Amino acid sequence: MFHTLPTLIQKVTNASSVNQLCGYYMDAAGELFGSQHWGIYIHSWAGQKSSIYLKGLPDSFIDYYSTLGAALDKVMEYVVCHHAPAHEQIIFTEATWKQSELYQIGCGKIYDHEHIMTGPIVGDGKLVGTVQFARTSGNPAYNTQDLLQLSAICAHISAKLALLRSQHELFLPKHEISLTARELQIAALVAKGLTNAEIAAELWISQNTVKQTLKRIFRKLDVSARAEMVARLQLSRVCN
């Protein structure tokens, strides 16, 4: 299947869970960025386990990276410090990359990571996950265009993850009232202070759809204002 960046962004935007988001990402990311190895890692949160997905690599890579590679990874260090995507050529020259401990100990010598690139997933001003790519021997290095595209997809993943987490916090007991996934999406964005126009742009829907959805939510919750709706949802969460 031929994947495009807009298609992946649309799928990420419409994901209804973290697992679905990761699945969409893993299906398309390797082809989009011309990579033989790729993955996504999302930190644990609110009682949820960490999410780790890898393609093209054995499970042993996770142990290698956590025990040895992470402490040597200057590209990851850059991403953590700057909350911006990076590849090895931002940190090293071609010669110093091949001489680096990360390349010599495992990245290049064992797993054939001739070129690497990492992007940040951020939330509440901190790193909450990362996406990683590697190209094997004989493939070109990542370039500025790759970084620009990675920056775009990381921004959308970060925004969607924040929305999914806010929905979790606004969970409403099924026995009291039932909101659809879309209604919860819109309620969560209202709680963040977004206008109807901003919500429509965020979810790629019309302002009229936002307006009509809010009317349905108001009826279900027996409220008449946005602030009252948010307060009702928060109260339900606390009482639960």
Side-chain angles (χ1 to χ4, degrees):
M1 179 184 292
F2 179 71
H3 297 282
T4 66
L5 185 62
T7 299
L8 176 55
I9 288 173
Q10 181 69 66
K11 286 188 173 183
V12 165
T13 301
N14 292 333
S16 59
S17 68
V18 174
N19 284 341
Q20 190 175 67
L21 184 158
C22 291
Y24 288 149
Y25 173 81
M26 293 301 294
D27 285 345
E31 179 183 325
L32 277 174
F33 291 95
S35 300
Q36 289 70 52
H37 305 156
W38 68 97
I40 183 169
Y41 171 61
I42 297 175
H43 300 173
S44 59
W45 58 280
Q48 306 295 308
K49 294 182 179 179
S50 299
S51 298
I52 303 176
Y53 295 81
L54 290 175
K55 283 281 182 73
L57 287 165
D59 290 342
S60 62
F61 178 79
I62 297 174
D63 291 333
Y64 150 75
Y65 189 80
S66 61
T67 56
L68 291 174
L72 305 173
D73 192 345
K74 298 298 183 183
V75 174
M76 178 66 76
E77 185 178 306
Y78 179 97
V79 171
V80 171
C81 289
H82 299 280
H83 288 187
H87 51 60
E88 86 277 354
Q89 293 192 356
I90 287 180
I91 315 298
F92 304 95
T93 65
E94 183 177 353
T96 57
W97 163 239
K98 296 293 181 63
Q99 296 165 3
S100 69
E101 286 187 89
L102 182 63
Y103 186 91
Q104 291 290 328
I105 288 178
C107 203
K109 297 293 186 178
I110 298 175
Y111 296 102
D112 192 19
H113 288 179
E114 192 70 11
H115 304 289
I116 62 174
M117 181 171 67
T118 301
I121 302 171
V122 298
D124 295 326
K126 60 185 178 182
L127 202 71
V128 297
T130 55
V131 293
Q132 307 86 24
F133 297 89
R135 289 175 177 169
T136 54
S137 300
N139 289 287
Y142 296 103
N143 57 31
T144 301
Q145 183 63 26
D146 293 317
L147 290 181
L148 290 173
Q149 291 197 90
L150 184 55
S151 181
I153 190 59
C154 283
H156 283 275
I157 291 174
S158 297
K160 185 62 183 186
L161 185 60
L163 179 59
L164 290 171
R165 291 184 174 187
S166 68
Q167 288 175 352
H168 178 83
E169 292 172 356
L170 284 171
F171 172 76
L172 196 61
K174 289 184 179 179
H175 68 269
E176 181 178 348
I177 198 72
S178 178
L179 298 186
T180 66
R182 177 64 86 189
E183 288 167 348
L184 279 172
Q185 277 186 318
I186 291 175
L189 291 174
V190 169
K192 287 178 173 290
L194 273 67
T195 65
N196 284 5
E198 290 169 335
I199 293 170
E202 177 73 22
L203 299 180
W204 292 18
I205 58 178
S206 71
Q207 291 188 51
N208 186 58
T209 297
V210 176
K211 182 179 178 180
Q212 296 306 316
T213 302
L214 283 173
K215 285 183 177 180
R216 289 197 303 273
I217 297 172
F218 286 5
R219 287 197 298 269
K220 288 183 178 183
L221 298 179
D222 192 24
V223 299
S224 59
R226 297 159 80 95
E228 192 179 359
M229 175 193 71
V230 172
R232 174 74 189 279
L233 288 169
Q234 293 289 350
L235 179 60
S236 297
R237 178 177 66 85
V238 171
C239 290
N240 185 49

